[in-house]
Amino acid sequence: MIGFATRRLIQALIVMLVVALLAFTMFRFVGDPINQMVGIETSIEEREALRERLGLNDPIPVQFLRFVTKAAQFDFGTSYQFRQPVSELFAKRIPATLELSLTSALFALVVGIPMGIYAGLNRESPISKLFLSVSLVGISLPTFFIGILLIFLFSVTLQWLPSFGRGDTVQIGSWWTTGFLTASGLKALILPSITLGLYQMTLIMRLIRAEMLEVIRTDYIKFARARGLPDRLVHFRHALKNTLVPVITITGLQLGAIIAFATITETVFNWPGMGLLFLQAVQNVDIPIMSAYLLLTAFLFVAINFIVDILYFYIDPRLRVGRP
Amino acid sequence: MPYVSNEEVTAAVQDRSSEQPAAGRVARILDSDLFHSFLRSKITVVAAVATLILFLLSFLAPWVAPHNPFDLATISILDARVPPIWQEYSDPRFILGTDDQGRDLLSGIFYGMRISLIIGFCSVIAAAVLGISLGLVAGYMGGRVDSFIMRVADVQLTFPAILIALLIDGIAAGIFGGVDREFFAFYILIVSLALSFWVQYARTVRGSTMVEKNKEYVQAARVIGIPSVIIMVRHILPNVMGPVMVIATINLALAIVTEATLSFLGVGMPPTQPSLGTLIAIGNDFLYSGEWWIAIFPGLALALLVLNVNLLGDWLRDALNPKLR
């Protein structure tokens, strides 16, 4: 177990180093950082002085090492467009993105799992077929268009729910703001989290259905039925438990995808999160924010992958034996 | 041991891909398992017909569209934001209404779908060429080359494609500057989509190449001294293309969606050459003022296109999967 974890950790570190190298290359070589920081009226001597002071004349490996050391301390430099430290900009916006992502993941699980179980157990029922058709449409509709349709229906036509922003937020601690505690904050969460979670919901539903169909056919389920166990027990204690293994992996990996797709949802709903910040950075070629976002998301993905790998190890006892 | 010339062995090895009479080929296609399974699935036939119609409408846009939305002489700002024909204040010239600049929406959708499809096809081909080449090299060479290519693929696979495309787009904008962005947008999109989607091809092709390279026909080709490049391209490649076609079909839908998303986010096609995503982005600004058709119709067209291509891809995947037969 410890050997397995160490190997995974080393792999994760290598991935992070590669990503850091990419982020550094972007930071250093796409456009001239000095040109972005100073105005046109700055003289060449002043530019040179700034270049020297920022260490841009040092050998590249030294610069890379400095970049990594600083990034490890959450120092990503200064944004070109906002003239503020990138880390502060992100700190302000992380709560919004995390609350949105968690709510949509929860939505996907709470709605997707029961739908999947139902569709798996009642394969031929018309409701299952309806679920499947809806899920195909859900997969084919691009995230941003789902958002537009929901806004059109619930905000513009029915005027039930807000179409942009987080509503009122409450400050918790020094930097966390939450929308969970106010009525308008909760209302503002509904449409974005459905938009963001719909794809994951259909995915989880299809996965559970497929796994259920497969597990139901196995011998131990037939045997459990032969022993006369009630359906409820067979379905939930025996069958469901074994369908959950791949679901956990996929959910974990999809959590990363949710954070990535939050960029789109945040743009559609003008949600003040990291994704919106990143998109504005892409539009305005704000390289420090882009490279910081790359590093942060990479870190999140690698961390999630690592945790999923370890979880897998605990859930599936077969992995523990016979593996070098 | 009888003497066999190089040419004869080469000819024998190449015989697998020799020409057939055209009529025999059509008959063989019509009698194949694949075609029968196609006819059995009603929804697939419907999807295929719908896809064909959409493709025809897009590629024949200059001839079938009622107006030319790029002809500045025929569009008038006075026609801006005319509602679709079944609503009040509509204009019989514009069946689905007009956008904010007075361009006919139906024609705009045909032309926009054409741009979306061209970018989709080009990026799928580019991604496939890149992925297949790297996969072939990795699988055939093995060793360091293999582990390097596959490590890169692993790292990239941890990121969703849309993020990579966004990043590449941003970097390209940084390199080319804002001036030529409109001109380069088309090529930047194709490159960023290709670089986001090559991994799947590479992994699949690598896997099948590793199986193929130990088969006798490859060893025979090697023994007579055919260069590695030719072995890879002429002998192994035709035998690993099956799964590639499935991935390409499924990725076409994905590429179209990703392109639309990038354009919607304002980093894809510019409003002067709108793709479906750009049209939706334009319409999004007018959603709140009641002019819903400018965003909704292009969106529905996009959804229809993607849904049908997805249905075809799903069928192809199941039909070619020996486990499900």
Side-chain angles (χ1 to χ4, degrees), chain A:
Chain A
M1 169 68 206
I2 292 175
F4 175 77
T6 331
R7 258 201 313 282
R8 279 299 145 100
L9 205 60
I10 292 171
Q11 278 176 8
L13 277 178
I14 293 175
V15 171
M16 277 316 291
L17 267 181
V18 173
V19 175
L21 191 63
L22 272 178
F24 170 73
T25 318
M26 260 169 66
F27 186 73
R28 181 64 190 77
F29 296 108
V30 177
D32 184 7
I34 298 290
N35 277 347
Q36 299 278 357
M37 284 178 211
V38 297
I40 312 167
E41 67 277 9
T42 321
S43 69
I44 295 176
E45 291 78 39
E46 281 174 299
R47 283 168 191 247
E48 267 318 302
L50 187 61
R51 194 175 284 276
E52 188 62 43
R53 193 154 52 80
L54 290 173
L56 291 176
N57 289 334
D58 293 346
I60 297 296
V62 176
Q63 288 190 40
F64 178 57
L65 203 67
R66 193 182 307 128
F67 179 83
V68 172
T69 329
K70 277 186 166 175
Q73 297 160 12
F74 297 107
D75 178 358
F76 301 108
T78 312
S79 153
Y80 295 156
Q81 32 167 357
F82 298 103
R83 312 268 158 196
Q84 283 176 33
V86 173
S87 46
E88 270 178 35
L89 287 167
F90 271 106
K92 255 188 273 171
R93 282 157 172 264
I94 283 177
T97 296
L98 283 186
E99 283 187 357
L100 175 62
S101 306
L102 285 180
T103 317
S104 30
L106 211 65
F107 161 76
L109 286 173
V110 168
V111 181
I113 292 181
M115 275 170 83
I117 296 174
Y118 181 85
L121 292 178
N122 310 289
R123 193 177 179 180
E124 297 300 323
S125 98
I127 300 180
S128 308
K129 296 215 165 115
L130 181 76
F131 283 172
L132 277 183
S133 332
V134 170
S135 83
L136 190 67
V137 175
I139 283 179
S140 295
L141 282 178
T143 313
F144 69 94
F145 190 57
I146 294 174
I148 290 179
L149 283 179
L150 287 177
I151 289 180
F152 178 60
L153 195 61
F154 292 103
S155 307
V156 179
T157 312
L158 298 171
Q159 304 203 329
W160 286 350
L161 295 164
S163 63
F164 63 90
R166 288 182 79 190
D168 298 324
T169 52
V170 178
Q171 184 97 14
I172 299 177
S174 55
W175 57 280
W176 192 276
T177 56
T178 180
F180 286 147
L181 297 176
T182 62
S184 76
L186 286 175
K187 262 176 113 177
L189 256 174
I190 298 176
L191 290 185
S193 42
I194 292 180
T195 307
L196 186 52
L198 203 62
Y199 180 78
Q200 269 68 29
M201 185 204 93
T202 50
L203 200 70
I204 289 173
M205 186 206 109
R206 289 177 147 227
L207 193 69
I208 296 238
R209 172 182 172 274
E211 287 290 320
M212 266 295 195
L213 286 177
E214 210 145 273
V215 168
I216 287 293
R217 285 204 306 245
T218 53
D219 287 343
Y220 78 93
I221 294 292
K222 285 185 193 148
F223 186 66
R225 282 196 210 283
R227 277 198 297 162
L229 293 180
D231 271 358
R232 187 174 45 82
L233 213 60
V234 176
H235 291 160
F236 292 96
R237 279 289 290 276
H238 291 71
L240 184 62
K241 227 176 173 179
N242 279 290
T243 62
L244 285 181
V245 180
V247 173
I248 288 173
T249 330
I250 298 289
T251 314
L253 296 177
Q254 288 299 313
L255 208 59
I258 283 188
I259 292 170
F261 278 101
T263 314
I264 300 159
T265 312
E266 285 175 7
T267 314
V268 176
F269 289 93
N270 228 332
W271 188 264
M274 294 198 300
L276 195 58
L277 185 69
F278 171 62
L279 195 79
Q280 287 164 350
V282 170
Q283 283 163 347
N284 298 313
V285 200
D286 194 343
I287 301 288
I289 292 188
M290 281 164 69
S291 65
Y293 185 81
L294 177 66
L295 276 175
L296 277 179
T297 43
F299 179 72
L300 272 174
F301 291 162
V302 168
I304 291 170
N305 275 345
F306 181 70
I307 293 169
V308 168
D309 275 345
I310 300 292
L311 267 184
Y312 219 52
F313 205 77
Y314 271 105
I315 296 165
D316 194 342
R318 282 170 302 183
L319 282 180
R320 273 175 255 165
V321 236
R323 266 233 172 148

